[in-house]
Amino acid sequence: MDVFPVNWDSVPEVMNKEQFFRICHISKSTALHLLKSGKVPCEWSGKKTRCYKIRKEDVKAYLEERAIFPELYSAPKGWYGTHYVARLSKELPEDTLRQMHGYYEKLLRKYPDVVTVKDVVALTGYTLTTVHNWCSRGSLKAFQKGLKFCIPKIFLVDFFCSLTFRSITRKSLWHIQTLNDFSRKMKHRK
C-alpha cells in the first residue's frame, strides 16, 4: 500500500468525509464503509449531507494501523459491486510478528501440544473442510495419524501469523475478533 506524506499542521482538528477520503487517498465508497462500520470512529449528525465529523487523531490512528493491518479495513464482499480483497504487505515488521506469535501462543496456552482438526474448527469457527484443505495443501503443517490430521500447536501459531491466514477474505468471527484484539493490544503498547 502506498504511503503518502500528510502535512498534519494544515489538517483541521475535525473533518468531514470529503476531507477524510482525500487525506487518506481512498475512495468515497471506502470512506463510507469505514465510517458506517465504526472502523474509523466518527460522530454522525443524522443530516443528509456533511453528516460525519471525524477527529484528526482518529485519522492518524487509522493510517498508522492500516499500514500494518490493511486486512482489518477491507470492505465486505459486494461493497463495491465486485469482489474486493485488501492487499497485504508480504511481511509484517519483525517486532509485530514476534508480538503476534506471543499473542497466539498465550491464546492457545490451555490447548495440548498437538491438536486435532476438530479442535481447530472449534477454536476458529472455520469449517472442517476448510481446515482439512489447509492441512492437505500444506498451508497448515500437520502430520497424519491414521486418517486424522494432528497439528502441533507451534505450527498452528505459525499459520495464524502467516500471510495465508491473514489474507482470508471471508474471515470467521473469531478471526476478526483476534485481529481486532491484537491490534488494540499493539496500540496500548505504544
Side-chain angles (χ1 to χ4, degrees):
M1 182 159 286
D2 295 331
V3 177
F4 300 96
V6 177
N7 179 2
W8 290 107
D9 295 333
S10 65
V11 175
E13 289 299 317
V14 177
M15 64 189 80
N16 59 32
K17 183 179 83 172
E18 174 105 1
Q19 294 165 319
F20 170 61
F21 82 77
R22 290 184 188 280
I23 289 169
C24 297
H25 296 278
I26 57 177
S27 69
K28 289 180 184 179
S29 183
T30 299
L32 184 63
H33 163 68
L34 293 170
L35 298 172
K36 279 189 167 186
S37 66
K39 292 180 179 181
V40 174
C42 66
E43 184 181 318
W44 185 62
S45 67
K47 298 189 291 185
K48 288 190 177 191
T49 59
R50 301 193 186 272
C51 54
Y52 295 103
K53 292 181 182 177
I54 308 123
R55 295 181 338 187
K56 179 165 55 172
E57 305 91 63
D58 293 330
V59 175
K60 281 182 179 178
Y62 157 70
L63 289 172
E64 289 170 4
E65 193 164 325
R66 182 184 73 178
I68 300 172
F69 302 107
E71 65 271 21
L72 290 177
Y73 297 100
S74 63
K77 184 177 180 178
W79 180 263
Y80 301 102
T82 60
H83 184 66
Y84 174 77
V85 179
R87 285 178 284 151
L88 299 175
S89 59
K90 294 278 184 210
E91 307 243 345
L92 285 174
E94 195 172 313
D95 183 50
T96 304
L97 192 60
R98 190 173 4 88
Q99 289 177 6
M100 186 179 271
H101 265 84
Y103 171 79
Y104 283 115
E105 285 170 358
K106 190 175 180 182
L107 203 66
L108 298 173
R109 187 175 357 149
K110 65 180 181 175
Y111 286 88
D113 289 338
V114 178
V115 296
T116 64
V117 170
K118 286 184 179 180
D119 293 333
V120 176
V121 168
L123 172 70
T124 63
Y126 288 105
T127 65
L128 201 59
T129 305
T130 301
V131 179
H132 271 286
N133 287 341
W134 291 338
C135 294
S136 298
R137 291 184 192 131
S139 302
L140 175 54
K141 293 179 185 174
F143 61 90
Q144 280 191 290
K145 189 173 182 182
L147 296 174
K148 295 184 178 184
F149 282 110
C150 296
I151 305 146
K153 190 164 52 172
I154 193 161
F155 292 149
L156 187 59
V157 170
D158 287 342
F159 178 66
F160 287 162
C161 297
S162 72
L163 180 66
T164 303
F165 187 71
R166 290 185 305 115
S167 62
I168 293 172
T169 306
R170 300 186 83 181
K171 293 175 175 56
S172 69
L173 181 60
W174 177 87
H175 193 162
I176 293 167
Q177 287 172 340
T178 56
L179 284 174
N180 287 335
D181 186 44
F182 176 72
S183 171
R184 276 192 296 277
K185 288 182 183 197
M186 288 289 289
K187 278 184 187 174
H188 291 296
R189 289 181 180 160
K190 288 182 181 181

